[in-house]
Amino acid sequence: MAIATAVRLNEAPKKRRRYRGFASSVWWFVLPALALYVFAVVYPSIRGSLFAFTDWDGVSPNPSWVGLDQFARILTDPNAVVAVRNTLLIAFAVTIIQNAIGLLIALAVNSQIKSRNVLRVIIFAPVVITSIAVGFLWQNLYSPGGGINQLLEAIGLGALQQNWLGDPDLAIWSIIFVVFWQFVGYSMVIFLAGLQGIPEEVLEAAAIDGAGPVRRFWSVVRPLLAPAITINVMLSLIGGLKLFDQVFVMTAGGPGGATNTISTLIYSNAFSLGRFGYASALAVVLSIFVAVASIIQYRLLALQER
């Protein structure tokens, strides 16, 4: 007994030395990537955030320090208020619609229907198209003489023709539909991967116990699908908050600023109006939105996974 105890006491310092050696070798692999991240991401972000406290116009070598004036200006700028409202509307609408429809499609193509592989490819195809190309495609389809209005006229529904991108009340929903159309396949693939990881034995046992399709989904599939739900909701919410390409291509924030988002407002203030200080303040606000939404959402969905 005494000998075994002595052996364990002698081995403990050796294990500690091996662990320290391993930890020090890991740092040699981490440090280059960490240094690159600090240089390419952290330093520019901090430096850009500091411009939010100045009146820099993008040209002057000596911007003046204005404190929180740029942030106070956001509260009184009607364009910024509309942009914040549109950003939140797009983020939450896209998150709910895209994930709900993506889950339903995943459940459908996870069944034994013969055309499931073809449907997966067709539905996922828009994801691989660049957002700029998608924006130009739908801008053409939405135009007054475009494909959608021509189709409505051809099937006798000419009364439903709309100025899809020219109507301030309709334009934002037209953009939301395009984002959903492009990325619903992305959500479908993640949900599909989660569904295919659920053991068939568990579903069969639930069916034998008398659980119907709805009950099996709610009590068996949904809890096991929680990690996929977390990933999908987080990605779609963050993507919606920082949406820029589709809005800029299809409407450039118009008509009359009705479809401006925080991202398009940052671009117009920085590169069209030369208000880099104000644009930096908007970028800081957008970053805070993304961080807060991500933390809250992650905490809520983590509780669901337990």
Side-chain angles (χ1 to χ4, degrees), residues 186-262:
Y186 197 82
S187 298
M188 177 201 70
V189 168
I190 296 175
F191 281 131
L192 194 58
L195 288 171
Q196 293 182 343
I198 298 175
E200 283 294 330
E201 298 81 6
V202 177
L203 297 174
E204 290 172 0
I208 292 172
D209 288 342
V214 176
R215 182 68 175 174
R216 286 202 299 274
F217 170 78
W218 189 255
S219 300
V220 179
V221 175
R222 185 186 58 82
L224 295 176
L225 208 57
I229 295 174
T230 302
I231 294 171
N232 260 330
V233 172
M234 183 168 289
L235 290 177
S236 53
L237 183 62
I238 293 174
L241 285 172
K242 60 187 185 66
L243 187 71
F244 174 80
D245 296 350
Q246 294 89 342
V247 180
F248 186 75
V249 171
M250 287 194 288
T251 65
T259 60
N260 255 330
T261 64
I262 298 179

Side-chain angles (χ1 to χ4, degrees), residues 21-52:
F22 173 76
S24 62
S25 63
V26 168
W27 274 108
W28 285 110
F29 290 97
V30 172
L31 280 175
L34 185 62
L36 182 62
Y37 182 77
V38 170
F39 174 75
V41 178
V42 177
Y43 175 71
S45 299
I46 294 174
R47 187 171 174 79
S49 299
L50 292 177
F51 285 127

Side-chain angles (χ1 to χ4, degrees), residues 129-185:
I129 305 174
T130 64
S131 297
I132 298 294
V134 168
F136 280 117
L137 170 67
W138 280 93
Q139 185 189 47
N140 182 269
L141 291 172
Y142 278 140
S143 64
I148 295 176
N149 281 342
Q150 288 182 13
L151 176 63
L152 291 172
E153 181 70 29
I155 62 177
L157 297 176
L160 296 180
Q161 290 182 336
Q162 302 288 338
N163 189 358
W164 302 100
L165 297 178
D167 184 340
D169 296 326
L170 196 58
I172 192 72
W173 289 103
S174 300
I175 293 170
I176 289 172
F177 177 79
V178 172
V179 178
F180 150 74
W181 174 84
Q182 184 178 8
F183 293 110
V184 69

